Amino acid sequence: MHWSSSILFATMAGDAMASLGTSSGTNGPAYVGRRSAHGYPPDLHIPGASLTSKWLEGSDYVQILEFYVINNSKKNYLTLADGLNITIESDSLDLIQAGSVARLAPGQQSIVQVGVKNKPGVSNGSQCSGTLVATYGESYGPTLYANSSFSGTCGPATYTTDNLGYHWTPQWWDDAKFGIFIHWGLYSAPAWGGATPNENYAEWYWYRSHQSDFNPSYYNYHKETYGEDFNYDQFISNFTDAGWDPQQWVNLFANAGAKYFVPVTKHHDGFSLFNMPSSISKRNSVVWGPKRDFIGDLFAAAKQYQPDLKRGTYFSMPEWYNPAYAKYAACLAGCNDFGIPDTNPYTGANVTYTGYVPVDDFVLDIQLPQMKILANEYETDYMWCDIGGANNATIFASEWFNNATQQNRQVAINSRCGYAGDMSNPEYESGFSTNAGSWESNRGMDPYSFGFNYMTPDDAYMTGGDVINSLVDIVSKNGNFLLDIGPTHNGSIPQIMQTGLLDAGKWLSTHGESIYETRFWWTTSGQNNFRYTTRPQYSPAFYIHYLTKPPSYLVVPDLVPYLPGDTVTLLGGSGAGTVINVDWLSNGSIALHIPDEAINGDEYVWTFKLDYTSTW
């Protein structure tokens, strides 16, 4: 049995609504309860609050105080009628931006932010305290309160190697959701990782060609294609800029709907794509091959043509065959030995490590200086390390965070630099569960490789629909999606990759509000083909995503925060704005009546926007 929302809303009012809350079975949604607008308020609770290291983007260090608001009522909703307003009382901090939540169903919770700033005379980095004060219910009775004390560091912190755990993932990263990864380097010249079902990472070509028993057999392929005497560094002459256009790259990223990009600056082969003093290393694209500072040129193009794109840098912490890494030789990344001197895998002859400059210590004289160059000279927004191993990451991070803060820049670092960092980065994984911590899924458009593999047929690459389905699934579970492309040896991006990215960007151009700046729904990410995202505070709304073409009558299995009088519309596609009629079912869920123009007017993922227009 179901109830039509229009009928239910028209025929029930006042005490009749109150009785609905205690009904069961066929008499209506048992969980609905009483409405705050009729004098039956929610029971709000704020379990605690954190003075974060984040500040509002573009502000003069307006610090973000972050917390959860929980509706402990078993029957009553929080609605706009409650007039929830969250402020602070503090001897140390002034309120700059109050907080609120538009809708909380019984038993549900939402993350909320308040903006604060040090009072005159309060030093940055000092310890502050105060009380969150949430008021609601004035429109229909006595003011109700939900208070919570807080304490922490006021204003921008000064970081040391001992307090890096205080650093939060910046707000821009939480809001961005979608980024582009770029694996381009010497490995793009052989561009081989085998064929399905034995395909593997093409960017690991050099290392795998030393393993005669690895499947697919890079060892045999290299011998048969290039001969026993052809060493990896000879690919430098095949790595060119003939098809490379940095403006075209950054425009493609923006048109794909990405909000940040992360190029490989140095992979495990140690060949860097950025400039550095010759005392550190001469193993780079400025000295050899194209003789260009690819990272510098790419970042300059982004600043000029797509200034809203955040710029990240992938950086391999170790190098496979750098002689200076021998003292740190260790079993890393699944027991791949780094730091073993290179020899020809067929003849056993020693192989020169092109561009190597003798140094006393790999970490102090190569790794750390290179990271500082990327952070301070190239002004990376996101340090994306790989492998870990020997490092001075805490020294690097503390200095970088302090320098960036002085420039009013909020930066991020992942968990592969040598300490916990800001977020985890699961690689080529699927079947994700919701994780309240910051995380980012990364994989290639190629089904098995980050670097370009010429053996991969066009029909094996992710399509625009594949990208959007993955993105919606990941975002609904509180993740970001870093999608990799693999340019060819001359810097051109294969057309099949461009097409997939642009198709995804077309969808995002009309559905983006349901992705960017959203938060996951604490109740559930969804089941079967349903996924959910929410905007709890700014331009509040709730989004129901359906991962395939929907039927004309679609039953939503989860108890979404709908009330009679709310408006549900199709978001995006040629049917954008189509009002969707809603049935309210006896178990409290809803069903959508979807007209043909809405079904046939969209693609990939169908998104329905729930606006909190109810006056209950």
Side-chain angles (χ1 to χ4, degrees):
M1 177 180 291
H2 65 263
W3 295 79
S4 169
S5 63
S6 58
I7 296 174
L8 186 64
F9 186 68
T11 57
M12 294 190 173
D15 291 339
M17 290 184 197
S19 67
L20 179 63
T22 58
S23 66
S24 61
T26 60
N27 291 325
Y31 84 105
V32 169
R34 302 176 176 183
R35 297 294 147 253
S36 55
H38 296 271
Y40 301 101
D43 178 15
L44 301 185
H45 176 59
I46 302 175
S50 297
L51 269 171
T52 74
S53 65
K54 303 184 289 186
W55 59 89
L56 297 178
E57 285 287 334
S59 73
D60 183 23
Y61 300 102
V62 175
Q63 189 174 8
I64 294 175
L65 180 64
E66 194 165 284
F67 50 93
Y68 296 104
V69 175
I70 303 172
N71 181 7
N72 282 335
S73 173
K74 295 182 179 180
K75 295 191 295 185
N76 299 338
Y77 273 64
L78 169 72
T79 73
L80 289 171
D82 290 291
L84 175 64
N85 187 47
I86 306 173
T87 61
I88 65 163
E89 294 177 353
S90 173
D91 294 332
S92 309
L93 297 165
D94 286 325
L95 177 71
I96 304 299
Q97 179 174 289
S100 187
V101 181
R103 176 72 56 82
L104 280 179
Q108 295 183 0
Q109 61 181 304
S110 178
I111 193 168
V112 184
Q113 295 179 338
V114 163
V116 298
K117 196 168 177 61
N118 293 7
K119 287 182 179 292
V122 176
S123 301
N124 289 335
S126 59
Q127 291 300 298
C128 300
S129 61
T131 302
L132 276 170
V133 180
T135 59
Y136 59 104
E138 294 98 330
S139 63
Y140 52 78
T143 300
L144 300 173
Y145 295 88
N147 296 348
S148 180
S149 61
F150 65 87
S151 62
T153 301
C154 276
T158 298
Y159 291 95
T160 69
T161 57
D162 296 323
N163 68 352
L164 293 176
Y166 173 64
H167 190 264
W168 287 58
T169 306
Q171 189 81 356
W172 71 257
W173 194 94
D174 291 335
D175 291 343
K177 306 304 182 186
F178 185 38
I180 301 297
F181 216 1
I182 310 106
H183 274 66
W184 185 48
L186 292 190
Y187 43 83
S188 305
W192 193 87
T196 305
N198 297 316
E199 184 182 356
N200 202 265
Y201 290 172
E203 65 275 14
W204 278 65
Y205 183 89
W206 190 10
Y207 189 89
R208 296 302 184 202
S209 64
H210 285 67
Q211 298 175 299
S212 59
D213 58 348
F214 191 84
N215 189 14
S217 183
Y218 296 74
Y219 178 91
N220 290 337
Y221 172 81
H222 186 85
K223 178 180 178 180
E224 294 166 1
T225 306
Y226 301 102
E228 293 184 355
D229 295 326
F230 190 98
N231 295 315
Y232 179 80
D233 282 353
Q234 291 176 254
F235 285 121
I236 291 175
S237 62
N238 301 106
F239 180 60
T240 77
D241 61 354
W244 187 65
D245 182 345
Q247 180 182 349
Q248 188 262 342
W249 275 30
V250 297
N251 287 342
L252 175 64
F253 304 158
N255 290 333
K259 299 300 183 182
Y260 61 104
F261 66 94
V262 182
V264 169
T265 66
K266 183 185 74 170
H267 205 260
H268 314 324
D269 61 5
F271 191 83
S272 303
L273 304 189
F274 62 100
N275 196 19
M276 66 198 71
S278 59
S279 59
I280 297 173
S281 176
K282 296 179 182 179
R283 187 175 175 80
N284 58 67
S285 61
V286 179
V287 176
W288 296 94
K291 294 182 170 55
R292 290 192 66 166
D293 179 357
F294 286 117
I295 301 302
D297 290 349
L298 184 62
F299 279 21
K303 290 178 181 179
Q304 180 176 356
Y305 300 108
Q306 299 295 341
D308 291 334
L309 283 175
K310 294 292 186 179
R311 304 175 298 276
T313 46
Y314 169 104
F315 180 81
S316 176
M317 300 295 280
E319 297 176 20
W320 280 318
Y321 302 115
N322 191 313
Y325 201 78
K327 66 180 286 188
Y328 297 110
C331 180
L332 300 170
C335 282
N336 298 294
D337 293 321
F338 287 71
I340 297 176
D342 187 29
T343 57
N344 185 300
Y346 311 102
T347 67
N350 292 329
V351 176
T352 300
Y353 197 63
T354 303
Y356 173 67
V357 175
V359 296
D360 293 331
D361 185 271
F362 178 87
V363 171
L364 295 177
D365 300 327
I366 297 177
Q367 181 194 90
L368 185 58
Q370 287 180 337
M371 294 177 74
K372 288 184 176 182
I373 288 170
L374 292 173
N376 300 322
E377 297 181 23
Y378 290 79
E379 295 184 329
T380 184
D381 296 307
Y382 182 15
M383 182 60 76
W384 208 106
C385 301
D386 203 5
I387 301 298
N391 68 88
N392 273 331
T394 57
I395 294 175
F396 162 77
S398 57
E399 293 179 1
W400 180 39
F401 292 165
N402 290 332
N403 290 339
T405 298
Q406 291 175 5
Q407 300 166 356
N408 201 354
R409 295 175 54 233
Q410 301 191 72
V411 296
I413 188 169
N414 75 342
S415 60
R416 301 187 187 186
C417 294
Y419 81 104
D422 296 331
M423 75 289 292
S424 60
N425 308 91
E427 180 175 314
Y428 269 99
E429 295 182 18
S430 59
F432 298 109
S433 299
T434 299
N435 183 346
S438 297
W439 66 280
E440 174 191 69
S441 171
N442 69 100
R443 60 152 296 164
M445 296 187 77
D446 184 301
Y448 299 104
S449 180
F450 289 99
F452 178 63
N453 178 11
Y454 80 84
M455 295 289 288
T456 302
D458 281 359
D459 61 6
Y461 284 96
M462 292 184 78
T463 65
D466 296 329
V467 172
I468 294 303
N469 266 265
S470 293
L471 177 63
V472 170
D473 177 62
I474 290 165
V475 171
S476 74
K477 297 169 182 176
N478 197 41
N480 280 17
F481 187 24
L482 186 62
L483 177 65
D484 179 78
I485 59 172
T488 68
H489 70 99
N490 67 5
S492 60
I493 299 172
Q495 186 59 51
I496 190 64
M497 298 184 191
Q498 295 189 47
T499 299
L501 290 179
L502 292 174
D503 286 347
K506 180 181 177 182
W507 188 93
L508 282 165
S509 69
T510 58
H511 300 74
E513 70 169 78
S514 69
I515 300 296
Y516 309 123
E517 301 178 12
T518 62
R519 296 297 179 260
F520 72 105
W521 190 36
W522 273 94
T523 304
T524 177
S525 62
Q527 54 184 295
N528 301 322
N529 283 321
F530 288 91
R531 297 293 183 272
Y532 309 107
T533 55
T534 180
R535 286 175 173 266
Q537 188 167 356
Y538 307 111
S539 302
F542 188 88
Y543 302 93
I544 302 168
H545 304 274
Y546 197 68
L547 301 181
T548 189
K549 193 171 187 177
S552 59
Y553 187 72
L554 183 63
V555 177
V556 180
D558 301 295
L559 304 183
V560 299
Y562 171 85
L563 286 175
D566 284 342
T567 303
V568 177
T569 55
L570 180 72
L571 185 69
S574 61
T578 300
V579 176
I580 306 298
N581 291 327
V582 180
D583 289 342
W584 209 9
L585 307 184
S586 59
N587 66 350
S589 62
I590 63 174
L592 308 179
H593 291 270
I594 308 173
D596 288 344
E597 59 266 29
I599 295 173
N600 298 320
D602 213 345
E603 58 183 347
Y604 306 154
V605 173
W606 279 251
T607 300
F608 305 94
K609 180 181 181 181
L610 193 167
D611 278 308
Y612 302 132
T613 53
S614 173
T615 57
W616 276 24

